[in-house]
Amino acid sequence: MATIKIHGGYRLAGTVRVDGAKNAVLPIMAASLLAETGETCIEEVPYLTDIENLADVVRSLGARAELSHNGSLKLSAERLTTTTAPYELVRKMRASFWVAGPLLARTGHFRVPLPGGCNIGERPVDQHIKGFEALGAHVAIEHGYVEGYVKDRLRGARVYLDIVSVGATINTMMAATLAEGQTLIENAAKEPEIVDLANYLNAMGAKVRGAGTDVIRIEGVKCLHGAAHTVIPDRIEAGTYMLAAAITRGDVFVEGAIYNHLSSLCAKLREAGVTVEDDISGIRVRADGPLHPIDVKTLPHPGFPTDLQAQMLALLTTIEGVSIVTETLYENRFLHVAELRRMGVDVKLEGRSAIVEGVSNLTGARVNATDLRAGAALVLAGLAANGETVVTGLEHLDRGYGDLVSKLRQLGGYIVRTDEAQPPLRLVTAN
Ligand code: EPZ
């Protein structure tokens, strides 16, 4: 079994460059199914299993997907051969459900397996379905599949999302690009990845305005074409390295990190006593003075991101005093706490909050990653702990962090991966 082994106690210092954002590439890949003509070329695509999995899903629908070594991904969906996505591929990742909106808008039909819950929560898709129905689709759930159809074209409509959902905003926005007339998505999610998707859709010929605010306005067009697009830097990867700098009391420049995408993390780090300097080419994080406990609550963007909650919690376990971390997005995103306890941390769970009593010394232990961000938190804790930490469950980390081990080693971390060749990734070849 592949593991990551870490000898903790080394202070990280230097520069690390962030990759393109996984969570921006995935919806853009799904959106490329909307293009009846032309090729899409996405630049700055990281090598991650999630990207490969979604490439397999779009290929199963008849599209072409080629990922090259230099991080560019070419997609062409001129000929779609089916509107049913295979269960075996979709069950591997929830983001596969994003092919539903483009298929519905372009062909009038989709049949996509209902994504199940996962380790962090139940994660229903009712708001995605609400969006499709508001645009005139009939949607039913049968035999484990969500099936939607519309007789002619989708019709633009006013859609109010009951929950601020990244996925439902994305699916509704993509479907509305080819609807007849105007669509208004109210209570939309405002994440930078949604703005990036809107920019890509507009480059394809769509008319999307207001992305990044809670009202998105889409004027439907008749057809879309492939387009070239460079994705935004990964703010969660960037935030993870910023927290790695803080937990090791180091000094790291995170090249490519965009301050506006990470303002809540920067604010919380400063509140804890960490020095954060933003620069046009990245963010520098320095932790050389005493740090103080803080309270953190996850919220939709621009609030504190749930995808950095576990890593922030790991940092707080190393700061003496009581910190409180509250998770408002997912009902079960504290599985890392049980693993962190194996490293000597004192954390009590009370409902949706974790009460962290910081300790001066974590101790290395064998721990298991239960999801992507939980895995990152364990690696960070290992970097700060006394002795050896062995992290298993690397399939989760490989979904979202490219070159994690070599990037941390380059910063001075004592960390190795036992299967050495970084994630055993294959190139996605054309079909
Ligand atoms: C995206 O997931 C991200 N995934 C997640 O990152 C991230 O945690 C999440 O947004 C929130 O920021 C990708 O971009 C691939 P949501 P998504 O719909 O779109 C509830 C990572 O680690 N909800 O905004 O699935 C839902 O259960 C991953 O990279 C409904 O109730 O998240 C959750 O509690 C993990 N009904 C909340 O809304 C719906 O129809 C937010 O979910 C949809 C969502």
Side-chain angles (χ1 to χ4, degrees):
M1 185 203 314
T3 62
I4 287 176
K5 286 190 178 163
I6 308 161
H7 280 277
Y10 294 87
R11 181 175 175 267
L12 298 189
T15 297
V16 63
R17 186 176 183 275
V18 287
D19 289 337
K22 161 183 91 78
N23 289 351
V25 177
L26 295 173
I28 288 171
M29 289 173 74
S32 67
L33 294 174
L34 288 162
E36 263 176 57
T37 56
E39 188 178 70
T40 278
C41 184
I42 316 173
E43 302 289 353
E44 296 288 330
V45 176
Y47 276 144
L48 301 170
T49 48
D50 269 10
I51 306 281
E52 285 191 349
N53 287 338
L54 193 59
D56 284 342
V57 174
V58 300
R59 292 171 71 221
S60 75
L61 300 169
R64 200 165 52 79
E66 281 176 67
L67 183 61
S68 72
H69 279 293
N70 63 3
S72 62
L73 174 59
K74 289 188 176 150
L75 294 146
S76 155
E78 285 172 354
R79 275 185 320 110
L80 295 180
T81 49
T82 175
T83 50
T84 297
Y87 172 76
E88 277 313 316
L89 295 179
V90 172
R91 76 178 179 85
K92 291 187 185 167
M93 62 180 303
R94 283 184 58 82
S96 307
F97 195 69
W98 289 337
V99 300
L103 287 175
L104 177 65
R106 175 151 165 214
T107 71
H109 179 259
F110 74 85
R111 192 163 173 268
V112 180
L114 185 65
C118 66
N119 287 351
I120 59 178
E122 200 187 327
R123 306 183 78 187
V125 290
D126 57 305
Q127 298 302 307
H128 301 234
I129 294 172
K130 181 178 180 183
F132 298 153
E133 287 179 336
L135 298 175
H138 300 273
V139 183
I141 302 177
E142 268 177 8
H143 307 297
Y145 280 78
V146 186
E147 183 158 14
Y149 71 92
V150 61
K151 259 205 185 125
D152 300 314
R153 225 175 130 190
L154 293 170
R155 284 185 320 274
R158 190 181 272 263
V159 184
Y160 176 83
L161 297 176
D162 300 317
I163 289 175
V164 181
S165 157
V166 172
T169 302
I170 284 171
N171 242 335
T172 309
M173 183 162 92
M174 293 189 295
T177 55
L178 291 179
E180 196 177 337
Q182 196 177 76
T183 296
L184 215 61
I185 307 176
E186 296 173 307
N187 202 26
K190 297 182 278 204
E191 270 67 3
E193 293 76 18
I194 288 172
V195 179
D196 206 39
L197 173 63
N199 288 338
Y200 169 66
L201 289 168
N202 288 338
M204 294 175 84
K207 293 185 176 162
V208 182
R209 302 284 175 268
T213 74
D214 54 11
V215 181
I216 301 179
R217 199 178 292 268
I218 302 133
E219 189 71 48
V221 297
K222 286 230 165 88
C223 61
L224 295 172
H225 50 81
H229 184 78
T230 301
V231 288
I232 54 172
D234 195 315
R235 66 193 165 99
I236 305 302
E237 189 199 15
T240 302
Y241 291 117
M242 289 164 67
L243 287 159
I247 202 170
T248 61
R249 307 302 188 260
D251 180 354
V252 172
F253 181 67
V254 184
E255 190 184 334
I258 296 178
Y259 182 81
N260 279 351
H261 294 176
L262 284 155
S263 53
S264 57
L265 173 65
C266 293
K268 288 315 257 183
L269 283 173
R270 284 182 179 133
E271 206 177 304
V274 177
T275 305
V276 180
E277 292 163 11
D278 63 306
D279 177 283
I280 41 171
S281 59
I283 299 176
R284 180 176 175 194
V285 171
R286 224 163 4 108
D288 37 23
L291 300 188
H292 326 290
I294 53 169
D295 294 345
V296 179
K297 187 189 243 183
T298 64
L299 286 170
H301 191 78
F304 191 88
T306 175
D307 293 345
L308 287 173
Q309 178 258 106
Q311 303 90 312
M312 174 57 99
L313 192 147
L315 167 66
L316 298 177
T317 65
T318 67
I319 299 177
E320 282 187 59
V322 178
S323 294
I324 300 178
V325 178
T326 305
E327 171 61 54
T328 72
L329 273 88
Y330 295 112
E331 64 276 15
N332 196 27
R333 209 177 199 180
F334 277 129
L335 291 181
H336 42 284
V337 165
E339 297 300 306
L340 286 169
R341 283 196 190 115
R342 299 171 55 77
M343 302 179 72
V345 312
D346 180 357
V347 182
K348 287 182 195 62
L349 291 179
E350 283 186 12
R352 291 215 161 185
S353 293
I355 296 141
V356 183
E357 177 87 53
V359 293
S360 52
N361 270 324
L362 301 185
T363 52
R366 196 176 172 95
V367 286
N368 184 42
T370 49
D371 75 79
L372 169 57
R373 310 304 172 185
L378 298 174
V379 170
L380 262 52
L383 291 168
N386 278 332
E388 186 179 81
T389 294
V390 178
V391 183
T392 56
L394 303 194
E395 66 281 6
H396 294 293
L397 279 163
D398 291 343
R399 295 182 62 173
Y401 291 95
D403 297 330
L404 177 70
V405 167
S406 52
K407 284 182 176 181
L408 288 171
R409 209 163 35 217
Q410 168 198 323
L411 292 173
Y414 197 104
I415 174 168
V416 291
R417 189 169 160 133
T418 54
D419 60 348
E420 58 189 59
Q422 266 285 329
L425 295 180
R426 64 193 154 76
L427 286 182
V428 180
T429 49
N431 55 1

